[in-house]
Coordinates of all heavy atoms in Angstrom, one line a residue:
D181 N 142.7 -99.3 37.4 CA 142.3 -100.5 38.3 C 140.9 -100.9 38.3 O 140.6 -102.1 38.2 CB 142.8 -100.2 39.7 CG 144.3 -100.5 39.9 OD1 144.9 -101.0 39.0 OD2 144.8 -100.1 41.0
P182 N 139.9 -99.9 38.3 CA 138.5 -100.3 38.3 C 138.0 -101.1 37.1 O 137.0 -101.8 37.1 CB 137.7 -98.9 38.4 CG 138.7 -98.0 39.0 CD 140.1 -98.4 38.4
I183 N 138.7 -100.9 35.9 CA 138.2 -101.6 34.7 C 139.1 -102.8 34.4 O 138.9 -103.5 33.4 CB 138.1 -100.7 33.5 CG1 139.4 -100.1 33.1 CG2 137.1 -99.6 33.8 CD1 139.4 -99.4 31.7
F184 N 140.1 -103.1 35.2 CA 141.0 -104.3 34.9 C 140.8 -105.4 35.9 O 141.1 -105.3 37.0 CB 142.5 -103.8 34.9 CG 143.5 -104.8 34.4 CD1 143.9 -104.8 33.1 CD2 144.0 -105.8 35.3 CE1 144.8 -105.8 32.6 CE2 144.9 -106.8 34.8 CZ 145.3 -106.7 33.4
A185 N 140.2 -106.5 35.3 CA 139.9 -107.6 36.2 C 140.9 -108.8 36.0 O 141.3 -109.1 34.9 CB 138.5 -108.1 36.0
Y186 N 141.3 -109.4 37.1 CA 142.1 -110.6 37.1 C 141.4 -111.6 37.8 O 141.0 -111.4 39.0 CB 143.4 -110.2 37.8 CG 144.4 -111.4 37.9 CD1 145.3 -111.6 36.8 CD2 144.5 -112.2 39.0 CE1 146.2 -112.7 36.8 CE2 145.3 -113.3 39.0 CZ 146.2 -113.5 37.9 OH 147.1 -114.6 37.9
N187 N 141.1 -112.8 37.2 CA 140.3 -113.8 37.8 C 139.0 -113.3 38.4 O 138.6 -113.7 39.5 CB 141.1 -114.6 38.9 CG 142.0 -115.6 38.3 OD1 141.9 -115.9 37.1 ND2 142.9 -116.1 39.1
G188 N 138.3 -112.4 37.6 CA 137.0 -112.0 38.1 C 137.0 -110.8 39.1 O 135.9 -110.3 39.4
T189 N 138.1 -110.4 39.6 CA 138.2 -109.3 40.6 C 139.0 -108.2 40.0 O 140.0 -108.4 39.4 CB 138.9 -109.8 41.9 OG1 138.3 -111.0 42.3 CG2 138.9 -108.7 43.0
T190 N 138.4 -107.0 40.1 CA 139.2 -105.8 39.5 C 140.3 -105.5 40.5 O 140.2 -105.7 41.7 CB 138.3 -104.6 39.3 OG1 137.9 -104.0 40.6 CG2 137.1 -104.9 38.5
M191 N 141.3 -104.8 39.9 CA 142.5 -104.5 40.8 C 142.0 -103.4 41.8 O 142.7 -103.2 42.8 CB 143.7 -104.1 40.0 CG 144.2 -105.2 39.2 SD 146.0 -105.2 38.8 CE 146.1 -103.8 37.7
A192 N 140.9 -102.7 41.5 CA 140.4 -101.7 42.5 C 139.6 -102.4 43.6 O 139.3 -101.7 44.6 CB 139.5 -100.7 41.8
E193 N 139.3 -103.7 43.4 CA 138.6 -104.4 44.5 C 139.6 -105.2 45.4 O 139.2 -105.9 46.3 CB 137.6 -105.4 43.9 CG 136.4 -104.7 43.1 CD 135.5 -105.7 42.4 OE1 136.0 -106.6 41.7 OE2 134.3 -105.5 42.5
M194 N 140.9 -105.1 45.1 CA 141.9 -105.8 45.8 C 142.6 -104.9 46.8 O 142.7 -103.7 46.6 CB 143.0 -106.3 44.9 CG 142.5 -107.3 43.8 SD 143.8 -107.7 42.7 CE 142.9 -108.7 41.5
G195 N 143.0 -105.4 47.9 CA 143.9 -104.7 48.8 C 145.3 -104.6 48.2 O 145.6 -105.2 47.1
T196 N 146.1 -103.7 48.7 CA 147.5 -103.5 48.1 C 148.3 -104.8 48.0 O 148.9 -105.0 47.0 CB 148.2 -102.4 49.0 OG1 147.4 -101.3 49.1 CG2 149.5 -102.0 48.3
E197 N 148.3 -105.6 49.1 CA 149.1 -106.8 49.1 C 148.6 -107.8 48.1 O 149.3 -108.4 47.3 CB 149.0 -107.4 50.5 CG 150.0 -108.5 50.7 CD 150.0 -109.0 52.1 OE1 149.2 -108.5 53.0 OE2 150.8 -110.0 52.4
E198 N 147.2 -107.8 48.0 CA 146.6 -108.7 47.0 C 146.9 -108.3 45.6 O 147.2 -109.1 44.7 CB 145.1 -108.6 47.3 CG 144.2 -109.8 46.8 CD 142.7 -109.5 47.1 OE1 142.4 -108.5 47.8 OE2 141.9 -110.2 46.5
K199 N 146.9 -107.0 45.3 CA 147.2 -106.5 44.0 C 148.7 -106.8 43.7 O 149.0 -107.2 42.6 CB 146.9 -105.0 43.9 CG 147.2 -104.4 42.6 CD 146.9 -102.9 42.4 CE 147.6 -102.3 41.2 NZ 147.5 -100.9 41.1
N200 N 149.6 -106.5 44.7 CA 151.0 -106.7 44.4 C 151.3 -108.2 44.1 O 152.2 -108.5 43.4 CB 151.8 -106.4 45.7 CG 152.3 -104.9 45.7 OD1 152.3 -104.2 44.7 ND2 152.7 -104.5 46.9
A201 N 150.5 -109.1 44.6 CA 150.7 -110.5 44.4 C 150.5 -110.9 42.9 O 151.1 -111.9 42.5 CB 149.9 -111.4 45.3
I202 N 149.7 -110.2 42.2 CA 149.4 -110.5 40.8 C 149.7 -109.5 39.8 O 149.7 -109.8 38.6 CB 147.9 -111.0 40.7 CG1 146.9 -109.8 41.1 CG2 147.6 -112.2 41.5 CD1 146.4 -108.9 40.0
S203 N 150.0 -108.3 40.2 CA 150.1 -107.2 39.3 C 151.4 -107.1 38.5 O 152.4 -107.7 38.9 CB 149.8 -105.8 40.0 OG 151.0 -105.4 40.7
H204 N 151.4 -106.4 37.4 CA 152.6 -106.1 36.6 C 153.7 -105.5 37.5 O 154.8 -106.0 37.5 CB 152.2 -105.2 35.5 CG 151.5 -103.9 35.9 ND1 150.4 -104.0 36.7 CD2 151.7 -102.6 35.7 CE1 149.9 -102.8 37.0 NE2 150.7 -101.9 36.4
R205 N 153.3 -104.5 38.3 CA 154.3 -103.8 39.2 C 154.8 -104.8 40.3 O 156.0 -104.8 40.6 CB 153.7 -102.6 39.8 CG 154.7 -101.7 40.5 CD 154.2 -100.3 40.8 NE 153.6 -99.7 39.6 CZ 152.3 -99.6 39.3 NH1 151.5 -100.1 40.2 NH2 151.9 -99.1 38.2
G206 N 153.9 -105.5 40.9 CA 154.3 -106.5 41.9 C 155.3 -107.5 41.4 O 156.2 -107.8 42.0
R207 N 155.0 -107.9 40.1 CA 156.0 -108.9 39.5 C 157.3 -108.2 39.2 O 158.4 -108.9 39.3 CB 155.3 -109.5 38.2 CG 154.2 -110.4 38.6 CD 153.3 -110.9 37.5 NE 152.4 -111.9 38.0 CZ 151.3 -112.3 37.4 NH1 151.1 -111.9 36.1 NH2 150.5 -113.2 37.9
A208 N 157.3 -107.0 38.8 CA 158.6 -106.2 38.6 C 159.3 -106.0 39.9 O 160.5 -106.2 40.0 CB 158.3 -104.9 37.8
F209 N 158.5 -105.7 41.0 CA 159.1 -105.5 42.3 C 159.8 -106.9 42.7 O 160.8 -106.8 43.3 CB 158.0 -105.2 43.4 CG 157.5 -103.8 43.4 CD1 156.2 -103.6 43.8 CD2 158.3 -102.7 43.0 CE1 155.7 -102.3 43.9 CE2 157.7 -101.4 43.0 CZ 156.5 -101.2 43.5
A210 N 159.1 -108.0 42.4 CA 159.7 -109.3 42.8 C 161.0 -109.5 42.2 O 162.0 -110.0 42.8 CB 158.7 -110.4 42.5
A211 N 161.1 -109.2 40.9 CA 162.4 -109.4 40.1 C 163.4 -108.5 40.7 O 164.6 -108.8 40.9 CB 162.1 -109.1 38.6

Side-chain angles (χ1 to χ4, degrees):
D181 279 349
I183 63 167
F184 189 92
Y186 180 84
N187 278 349
T189 305
T190 70
M191 294 208 295
E193 294 174 317
M194 298 178 188
T196 306
E197 190 175 359
E198 203 183 345
K199 180 179 167 187
N200 269 344
I202 57 95
S203 76
H204 51 311
R205 190 169 306 98
R207 287 169 176 169
F209 284 152

